[in-house]
Amino acid sequence: MIPSISIVEQQNVQQILALDARYNNYRNTAPHLKTLYMRRRSQLLREKSERDRYFQMRSRLLSHKYPSVTSSSDYRSSSRTESMHSRTCSMDSLDIIGTSALPGTPQSGRKKGHRELTPRRQVQSRVNPDKDSYAFTDMPHIFDQHSKAVRLVRFAHNSCTLLACCSDDYTLSLCSLAPYSVNSRLQGHTGPVRDMDWSTDNSLLLSASTDGTARLWHCEKAVCLRVITSSHPLTAVKFQPMNNNACVAADEEGMLRGYNLSTGKHLSGSREKVSSSTTCLEFGPNSGVLWVSNNKGQIFSVSVNILSCQLKKMKCTSIPGGGSVVSLAVRAGHPSPLLLASSTSDLIFMFTIDKDVLLLVRKCSVKLNGLPIKSVFCPIATAKRGAFIVSGCADGSVLVFDMEKGKAVNKLQGHSCPVYCVCLSYDESLLVSADSSGTVIVWQKRDQSSED
């Protein structure tokens, strides 16, 4: 966590990370060197002594390269893009252009039009509880164990230290966040891994792959306990929440099947067809309803018998604008539960759940460019003050939205390619994002006790 750092400095740390990430995207170098570059930038910004030297060196280099034009057209362009418009001429502790009071930097004779940059609405941010609640300014670690896109990242239940990732490189990984390390790589699939799910006690992990198999993994031993085969590529899988000895798997033909995980066999009567290719599965709060989406913009409610896992399709809801539904998330709410759906039509929808019927209440626009980019609910804020969500973005940023107001309250930049998936720890102290190159970034919330 960044020690003894003011709100303004913390905002500028994130802005510098954003600029470094944008520059990193255009570097003509090997992918592993790009990851190493961002790791070093993050390390320099975390350590106070290193951070101060980094700021001074950066300032002098920029002052040397742009001695007379402190607000170049390129910089203004990037400033607009990242919401860093200049408003005042005071930045006591930090200057990201390179013309502040540093040893060896002249303080007189500044040319007309000179101005130092300060984050926009810096004063308002001090009293904005929503923005402060999601001030993820620190980047304590970057994982790069995967060689291709990471499709899903997910914390274990009620855990801030155990994380699972599944990737297009045919593997899954289990990561520890205290200390930061890759505990194990789960290998066995022969195709991209599209989905995974934790068991209730976090001892097991279930995965689904386009190779037509679902695999049950023992997390501590890092071994495969069971292989379930299908005649079609699998796209989604879920444990039955009230009975982890059973699961539901979906394939590209739109077929849902229930399986006994002790035997690996299909459960009699546990079979249901939904139209078109299935994309996502998500159980409702009472575990008796399974929400199923497809690539035609439809969301189905399917009843699930808790004991026998028998499936029965009930209602169908079509999202406005069409497009493939690429993620579903359910959150208990008051007075009704909420369902979040992201689509390739660059829209995120929030519904209230009335038994087995969805009622649209909010939507917001996000730049997805037709990519399978997922969004999730923020657990604490949703329960306290309304519906806040986090989503990846095609431009490499991570966005925090207030769905009640329909606007973004924070934007994190550190990735150099589209961010496919995000997840929050149960206490919202950590945010994890993963991109199409396989890079996984851990973001840490600002220490509120260090505020001025």
Side-chain angles (χ1 to χ4, degrees):
M1 192 165 294
I2 300 176
S4 304
I5 180 169
S6 68
I7 293 177
V8 176
E9 283 182 305
Q10 293 177 61
Q11 291 173 336
N12 287 319
V13 165
Q14 166 54 194
Q15 290 172 353
I16 288 177
L17 278 174
L19 289 173
D20 286 343
R22 187 173 297 276
Y23 162 70
N24 196 37
N25 192 29
Y26 292 98
R27 296 176 72 219
N28 186 19
T29 186
H32 73 279
L33 293 179
K34 290 187 176 183
T35 302
L36 182 63
Y37 175 81
M38 288 308 299
R39 276 183 170 173
R40 184 55 181 153
R41 299 287 78 72
S42 174
Q43 181 183 2
L44 289 170
L45 292 171
R46 286 203 307 274
E47 301 171 4
K48 181 169 176 56
S49 60
E50 293 287 338
R51 185 176 69 242
D52 293 342
R53 287 206 302 265
Y54 176 48
F55 288 158
Q56 291 185 13
M57 181 64 70
R58 183 189 179 97
S59 296
R60 286 174 180 155
L61 288 173
L62 289 172
S63 296
H64 177 72
K65 188 170 181 62
Y66 306 107
S68 60
V69 184
T70 59
S71 295
S72 66
S73 59
D74 289 341
Y75 191 86
R76 287 198 302 269
S77 175
S78 65
S79 297
R80 286 193 296 269
T81 304
E82 295 152 20
S83 299
M84 293 164 53
H85 298 286
S86 171
R87 293 192 60 163
T88 72
C89 294
S90 64
M91 185 174 287
D92 298 328
S93 58
L94 176 67
D95 177 64
I96 62 176
I97 287 293
T99 53
S100 62
L102 295 171
T105 303
Q107 297 300 305
S108 61
R110 289 176 176 169
K111 295 195 175 184
K112 183 178 180 180
H114 167 80
R115 50 182 184 173
E116 298 175 356
L117 297 188
T118 302
R120 191 178 185 185
R121 287 195 290 272
Q122 141 187 348
V123 176
Q124 289 90 324
S125 70
R126 293 177 180 268
V127 295
N128 185 341
D130 299 334
K131 189 178 182 72
D132 288 345
S133 295
Y134 298 101
F136 292 93
T137 55
D138 192 12
M139 188 190 293
H141 196 73
I142 299 175
F143 290 103
D144 60 352
Q145 67 272 18
H146 291 289
S147 59
K148 293 185 179 180
V150 172
R151 295 284 181 166
L152 186 63
V153 287
R154 185 162 288 176
F155 278 101
H157 299 297
N158 298 321
S159 174
C160 296
T161 60
L162 187 57
L163 179 77
C165 312
C166 66
S167 171
D168 283 355
D169 64 6
Y170 307 173
T171 69
L172 300 93
S173 61
L174 298 176
C175 305
S176 171
L177 275 61
Y180 291 100
S181 63
V182 178
N183 291 346
S184 57
R185 295 286 299 275
L186 305 180
Q187 299 178 337
H189 284 294
T190 58
V193 184
R194 288 287 187 257
D195 196 17
M196 62 181 177
D197 194 29
W198 287 97
S199 64
T200 304
D201 62 359
N202 297 331
S203 64
L204 303 173
L205 192 67
L206 192 59
S207 61
S209 170
T210 57
D211 64 7
T213 66
R215 290 177 177 262
L216 181 67
W217 306 90
H218 190 287
C219 295
E220 185 175 354
K221 297 179 180 179
V223 296
C224 181
L225 302 176
R226 187 75 60 199
V227 179
I228 297 171
T229 59
S230 171
S231 56
H232 300 286
L234 295 180
T235 55
V237 67
K238 281 286 180 291
F239 279 106
Q240 218 285 8
M242 302 299 292
N243 176 17
N244 280 182
N245 193 45
C247 74
V248 178
D251 63 32
E252 286 188 350
E253 298 299 311
M255 184 64 70
L256 305 178
R257 291 182 177 87
Y259 293 92
N260 184 323
L261 290 174
S262 294
T263 63
K265 295 182 178 180
H266 172 246
L267 292 168
S268 177
S270 184
R271 176 188 175 107
E272 188 64 66
K273 172 77 173 180
V274 298
S275 62
S276 191
S277 176
T278 305
T279 55
C280 306
L281 300 176
E282 188 70 24
F283 273 97
N286 62 3
S287 304
V289 176
L290 177 66
W291 297 98
V292 184
S293 63
N294 65 16
N295 61 355
K296 291 187 176 179
Q298 296 173 316
I299 303 174
F300 297 87
S301 57
V302 177
S303 67
V304 182
N305 186 290
I306 295 176
L307 298 177
S308 65
C309 205
Q310 288 186 338
L311 307 173
K312 182 180 179 181
K313 184 168 62 176
M314 294 185 291
K315 302 290 177 62
C316 174
T317 301
S318 296
I319 62 172
S324 176
V325 179
V326 293
S327 75
L328 293 177
V330 174
R331 179 67 59 198
H334 181 77
S336 301
L338 302 172
L339 182 141
L340 190 69
S342 297
S343 77
T344 54
S345 60
D346 289 359
L347 292 171
I348 299 177
F349 302 90
M350 188 175 73
F351 302 86
T352 57
I353 301 175
D354 184 7
K355 296 182 179 179
D356 59 346
V357 178
L358 297 179
L359 303 174
L360 179 63
V361 291
R362 294 285 188 277
K363 66 178 180 180
C364 65
S365 178
V366 183
K367 185 179 180 182
L368 304 181
N369 289 356
L371 297 172
I373 294 175
K374 297 175 174 59
S375 58
V376 297
F377 280 111
C378 300
I380 296 178
T382 302
K384 285 185 176 180
R385 298 193 301 275
F388 287 78
I389 70 166
V390 181
S391 175
C393 193
D395 64 4
S397 62
V398 178
L399 299 174
V400 181
F401 279 95
D402 180 351
M403 291 295 283
E404 298 294 332
K405 299 177 181 178
K407 65 177 184 179
V409 298
N410 202 0
K411 180 177 183 178
L412 304 176
Q413 293 179 290
H415 292 276
S416 57
C417 52
V419 177
Y420 274 6
C421 53
V422 292
C423 70
L424 282 155
S425 60
Y426 75 98
D427 62 355
E428 294 186 356
S429 62
L430 296 172
L431 168 65
V432 177
S433 56
D435 63 32
S436 59
S437 71
T439 300
V440 178
I441 295 180
V442 181
W443 304 88
Q444 195 168 38
K445 188 176 289 187
R446 182 180 69 214
D447 185 5
Q448 300 290 336
S449 63
S450 66
E451 294 181 5
D452 290 342

